[in-house]
Amino acid sequence: MATRPQRQVLAEVAYELIRRRLVDHEIPPGSRMNINTLAAELDVSPTPLREALARLEAEGLVVKRSLAGYAAAPLLGPRDLDELFDVRLLLEPAVAARAADRTAPGDLVRLAGTLAETEAARDDGSRESMLVYLRNDAAFHDGIAALGGNALLRTTLCRLHAHAHQYRLFFRAGMARATLVEHERILQALRERDADTAAARMRTHLRRARERLAGAVGDDHARTGA
């Protein structure tokens, strides 16, 4: 079995590491990204690093500025965020319905394990609980997308989740609990192999998630005067 070229492997590793830093705000939105500094930190040469950045640019997580190199993309504006959820509402209920028709017992165990980890974490608005919640939220949605059996849809949804999760700085206590309840209802529909109910519950979950996020963003802007 042929192995992938070393440069391709390094570009993939760099992509994953930088993507995580962007979503975790270790690289703040809008900040300049120095290729030489990143290459030294990640211990890769500039060539695979540029390949990783080009991939992230295509996903909208970084922007390339004329004569100024790369920068982390700014947070989406209110209209862009609303449109992001519009797209998720078009795609994810259909994916949940497909998953209900295809799910197997082992798949349900994995999804239930993700929810159990969320249940065990404290929902106190701390950074630790935020990271558990967001990691498991992404894993739950990605797990359902994987069950849907459409690789292009799964990749598309993964990109959308990355943009939504950049708003983690607006995480508030209580969000994880509300999300967990909605996820459990979706999982129950999958257990029952009820495609229509799975789609309806996913749609409800996304609408409520949009309301929670919009409310948190609005509260923060009111508090800071932004």
Side-chain angles (χ1 to χ4, degrees):
M1 179 176 165
T3 58
R4 291 188 297 169
Q6 180 68 9
R7 193 180 77 182
Q8 185 179 353
V9 173
L10 291 174
E12 181 71 23
V13 171
Y15 164 80
E16 293 292 347
L17 290 173
I18 297 171
R19 186 178 188 275
R20 182 178 299 175
R21 289 188 180 191
L22 289 165
V23 174
D24 285 350
H25 287 195
E26 291 178 22
I27 301 175
S31 64
R32 185 171 179 271
M33 301 168 69
N34 184 285
I35 287 183
N36 292 330
T37 300
L38 276 174
E41 290 175 353
L42 302 178
D43 195 24
V44 298
S45 67
T47 298
L49 183 60
R50 286 191 177 92
E51 292 178 9
L53 290 171
R55 185 174 169 188
L56 290 163
E57 181 187 15
E59 295 181 6
L61 289 174
V62 304
V63 293
K64 189 175 184 180
R65 296 170 176 167
S66 179
L67 304 178
Y70 288 94
L75 288 176
L76 298 177
R79 180 175 177 179
D80 294 320
L81 185 62
D82 204 45
E83 289 178 351
L84 182 150
F85 271 94
D86 283 343
V87 175
R88 290 184 66 183
L89 280 161
L90 286 172
L91 298 179
E92 291 198 66
V95 169
R98 286 171 60 89
D101 289 332
R102 294 165 173 261
T103 189
D107 302 321
L108 296 173
V109 169
R110 284 188 288 274
L111 289 174
T114 299
L115 298 190
E117 286 186 15
T118 309
E119 179 74 47
R122 291 184 301 167
D123 184 13
D124 56 5
S126 68
R127 176 174 173 80
E128 291 74 19
S129 63
M130 174 190 72
L131 291 174
V132 171
Y133 156 67
L134 289 166
R135 182 175 63 247
N136 290 341
D137 179 68
F140 183 80
H141 284 271
D142 184 62
I144 292 175
L147 291 177
N150 186 310
L152 179 58
L153 266 177
R154 183 182 182 186
T155 299
T156 300
L157 291 173
C158 182
R159 293 175 180 177
L160 295 176
H161 293 158
H163 285 286
H165 283 184
Q166 282 190 300
Y167 280 80
R168 60 181 57 204
L169 73 165
F170 297 109
F171 183 80
R172 299 288 184 271
M175 283 187 177
R177 182 65 219 171
T179 299
L180 179 62
V181 170
E182 292 158 17
H183 282 183
E184 287 173 340
R185 287 174 57 79
I186 295 168
L187 179 59
Q188 185 58 39
L190 297 180
R191 287 193 183 103
E192 296 169 359
R193 302 181 68 87
D194 187 334
D196 289 341
T197 299
R201 289 178 179 176
M202 178 63 78
R203 190 174 297 109
T204 296
H205 165 55
L206 293 173
R207 285 173 175 164
R208 290 176 177 172
R210 174 160 60 181
E211 291 170 1
R212 284 191 292 269
L213 186 55
V217 171
D219 289 346
D220 190 84
H221 285 178
R223 178 175 55 81
T224 62

